[in-house]
Amino acid sequence: MFRRKAYDRLLEWKKTSAGHTAMLIEGARRVGKSTVAVEFARNEYDSYVLVDFTRVTDEFKQTFLDMRNDLDGFFLYLSAAFGVNLVRRKSLVIFDEVQLFPPAREFIKHLVADGRFDYIETGSLISINANVKDILIPSEEESMTMGPMDFEEFLWAMGETALATMIRHSFDADTAMPDALHRKAGRLWREYMLVGGMPQAVAAYTPSRDMAAADRAKRMVLKLYREDIEKYGDLAAKRIRAVFDAIPGQLSKHEKRLVYTQVENGSRSRDFMTAFAWLREAATVNLCVLAEDPSLGLALSADESTVKCYMADTGLLSTMAFSASGSSMPDVYRQVLLGADGVNEGMLAENAVAQQLAASGHDLYFYSKASNVREERMEIDFLIVRPYPDAAMKPRISPIEVKSGKRYSTISLDKFAVKFAGRIGTEYVLYPRPATREGNRRSLPLYMSFCL
């Protein structure tokens, strides 16, 4: 199994919860929820039971329901059915794909109160939300969202743990990486933009850096996501699919916000609210919302009708945008890997940065100002809230500009710094070059974005 940050969060949950809560691992399909739960069970408990609701029989489900008022008998049945010796306070029960059997999730309240064992549930977000109408959500349930691998996890998977540590050290120390390591990290970042962080794609790629094998794995995931849209999208399925398929085209434009009329003739923003809500819940996209008046409460000035729609995984975006159905690697992949001039890496770089920010727990916002006056026009790719050293580590708005090429300008960032001087903290430019600092502005290589 690949090393995942979710594992560390489970360790913290086990330590602090001490059996008083269950943990629900939510996320998109195929991001590794079940895998990390099982690995955690194997390493951190004497024994475990994995109840996979995609595989259990109707007889098991009925017995589950019949024995809910007899916990002693219920645990004896689990032990016998799965051939596992459950040990008080030293065993874990996993309800995998719990959304397929909602009564199991409701039962968590009584299981946690009983206190004999620990409990983890896993489930895909969209089908979880579609199957809770008739059950009482247990207050004893904590939750965590798990996404695709970020760049740091990708480095771990590639056997580059020391390099990942060096990148974090350089970020924290505000120093540039040594040239050789900078070039190496840049090459791996370009690989990451194409492979992405879906575990199946990374597993296909890592043994021999087989990009075609990674593409095949990603196409299977995309097929699954499109099938989910048809299965769970109900009356909005057609519009959800239209938004999903339009993402590469919208992100390839200079202004990457979603233009509704280009998705569906004559449509307006309110026509897509259900589609956005569904995609957000399914965790297959990262929505970046316009903040009209940037302040620490970014959500207070959010315009939900003006969004940029990024794929939750950049590798899936690269396959949607560039990959054919054949077994050979697309030529554009080779150009990206080589860092060739003239290749439009902008949408991949910006999408990958969005993925890192989302993985770090940031809600995504951007700023844009349209005006006939040139001095007032500007667009900032991302706005996040970070502690500001020059204000006793109090939080400030940090604007982020993403530059995929070595030739660039920071006109919008300069204007933004003047307009909102009293609100902003450190400014960031993410680009392909080594790290530098000039006053309040840090220019960082793109591969450091996971540190923000």
Side-chain angles (χ1 to χ4, degrees), residues 309-329:
C309 192
Y310 299 101
M311 286 294 294
D313 181 67
T314 305
L316 296 182
L317 174 64
S318 70
T319 295
M320 291 175 72
F322 304 128
S323 177
S325 59
S327 59
S328 61
M329 184 171 70

Side-chain angles (χ1 to χ4, degrees), residues 140-379:
E140 296 79 5
E141 177 187 270
E142 296 184 48
S143 65
M144 57 182 272
T145 300
M146 186 174 176
M149 294 180 183
D150 67 8
F151 183 55
E152 187 172 29
E153 291 173 310
F154 179 78
L155 289 175
W156 295 342
M158 296 292 290
E160 297 289 351
T161 301
L163 179 61
T165 302
M166 184 66 187
I167 292 172
R168 277 204 178 272
H169 172 77
S170 296
F171 175 84
D172 293 338
D174 202 358
T175 59
M177 293 272 285
D179 287 346
L181 292 180
H182 167 73
R183 290 192 295 271
K184 181 178 183 179
R187 289 195 301 270
L188 285 161
W189 171 260
R190 290 193 293 274
E191 292 177 46
Y192 175 75
M193 286 197 298
L194 298 176
V195 176
M198 299 303 290
Q200 301 96 316
V202 177
Y205 181 72
T206 50
S208 57
R209 281 178 155 81
D210 188 341
M211 194 66 71
D215 246 354
R216 288 193 293 273
K218 290 184 289 175
R219 284 196 293 270
M220 290 177 63
V221 175
L222 288 169
K223 179 175 182 290
L224 184 67
Y225 285 179
R226 291 188 173 101
E227 290 172 350
D228 280 351
I229 292 172
E230 299 303 323
K231 183 176 181 180
Y232 298 109
D234 297 325
L235 296 177
K238 181 178 179 181
R239 191 161 278 154
I240 296 167
R241 176 71 177 264
V243 172
F244 187 78
D245 289 339
I247 291 173
Q250 295 294 324
L251 292 181
S252 66
K253 302 180 187 304
H254 177 69
E255 290 191 354
K256 295 177 173 56
R257 71 187 67 182
L258 195 69
V259 180
Y260 302 103
T261 55
Q262 293 178 1
V263 178
E264 182 180 304
N265 287 335
S267 62
R268 293 167 293 179
S269 60
R270 66 185 183 187
D271 298 327
F272 288 88
M273 291 300 102
T274 300
F276 288 150
W278 193 97
L279 289 166
R280 192 196 295 270
E281 287 185 354
T284 54
V285 303
N286 289 319
L287 295 180
C288 185
V289 180
L290 173 68
E292 295 183 303
D293 184 24
S295 63
L296 290 181
L298 287 167
L300 297 177
S301 67
D303 176 4
E304 297 284 348
S305 67
T306 307
V307 301
K308 295 188 288 186
C309 192
Y310 299 101
M311 286 294 294
D313 181 67
T314 305
L316 296 182
L317 174 64
S318 70
T319 295
M320 291 175 72
F322 304 128
S323 177
S325 59
S327 59
S328 61
M329 184 171 70
D331 186 61
V332 67
Y333 280 19
R334 295 187 179 87
Q335 295 180 57
V336 171
L337 291 172
L338 293 171
D341 291 335
V343 178
N344 181 14
E345 292 183 24
M347 72 170 177
L348 295 181
E350 194 168 317
N351 197 99
V353 169
Q355 185 172 344
Q356 309 316 296
L357 296 176
S360 296
H362 295 290
D363 293 325
L364 300 184
Y365 294 93
F366 74 102
Y367 178 77
S368 181
K369 178 69 173 178
S371 174
N372 293 326
V373 181
R374 182 178 180 183
E375 288 71 21
E376 296 180 359
R377 288 197 304 268
M378 67 186 90
E379 179 146 351

